[in-house]
Amino acid sequence: MLGLKLLTDPRWADIAERNLEEILTDHAWCEQKAATNAITMIAYNSEHDEFIQEMSDIAIEEMQHFKMVVEIIQKRGYTLGRERKDDYVGQLMKFCRKDGSRNMAFIDRLLFAAMIEARSCERFRVLSLNINDEELSKFYHDLMVSEANHYTTFLNFARKLSTDVDVDKRWKEWLDFEGNLIQSYGNKEAIHG
């Protein structure tokens, strides 16, 4: 469904489960960054009414997810640590087109967001199926569904709002790039790590 070239080894869930405080902290900050990304895209693309509505909904939902993760952290007696640098997202950002038309940059930002949502969805699926913690297994299953919806929203807007980009061709390039990139990840307690 997601088109990802390389799936996460289920053993990554064991790494995550060995340090739940770390994975939950990393996850909380991923949700906050996703909300910020949606807000930023509104600021730069305010001429699209339907897009503004959808991005507003996503920003609110991502902050609700942030709050839910923080509540789990606190309930378990953990502490929300400082924001983590997400090297995976940084590498994806470098792949975004910086030249070309304004529309080209906008479409690439949508595809960038779709890629992050796709990988997050896939990682949440791995967690939901492979960790022993029943509460978190259900939690990650529910979030997997939400991330899949966000992924399709971003991809659909890229297709709808493109004026000069072959979105399917560019999405294939994104999938190929991410397939090579993700080979270096999957060995630490981070959603994209």
Side-chain angles (χ1 to χ4, degrees), residues 112-131:
F112 162 81
M115 183 56 67
I116 294 168
E117 297 288 347
R119 181 55 68 185
S120 297
C121 176
E122 190 265 345
R123 288 285 170 98
F124 291 166
R125 181 179 183 277
V126 169
L127 288 172
S128 73
L129 294 174
N130 295 288
I131 62 174

Side-chain angles (χ1 to χ4, degrees), residues 13-35:
D14 297 333
I15 296 169
E17 196 163 22
R18 282 196 295 272
N19 193 346
L20 290 177
E21 185 172 10
E22 182 63 29
I23 194 79
L24 288 167
T25 289
D26 181 71
H27 178 192
W29 289 114
C30 286
E31 298 291 355
Q32 180 273 327
K33 290 172 194 170

Side-chain angles (χ1 to χ4, degrees), residues 34-35 38 53-63 150 153-154:
Q53 291 302 315
E54 287 288 334
M55 289 304 105
S56 297
D57 291 343
I58 286 176
I60 290 166
E61 187 175 349
E62 298 287 17
M63 283 310 295
H150 296 170
T153 297
F154 286 117

Side-chain angles (χ1 to χ4, degrees), residues 65-77:
H65 293 168
F66 173 81
K67 185 175 187 235
M68 290 164 63
V69 178
V70 168
E71 286 171 353
I72 290 171
I73 288 169
Q74 292 170 343
K75 182 175 102 180
R76 291 173 178 236

Side-chain angles (χ1 to χ4, degrees), residues 73-89:
I73 288 169
Q74 292 170 343
K75 182 175 102 180
R76 291 173 178 236
Y78 302 151
T79 302
L80 175 65
R82 295 275 183 202
E83 179 182 357
R84 273 52 171 163
K85 181 180 180 215
D86 192 328
D87 185 61
Y88 166 84
V89 171

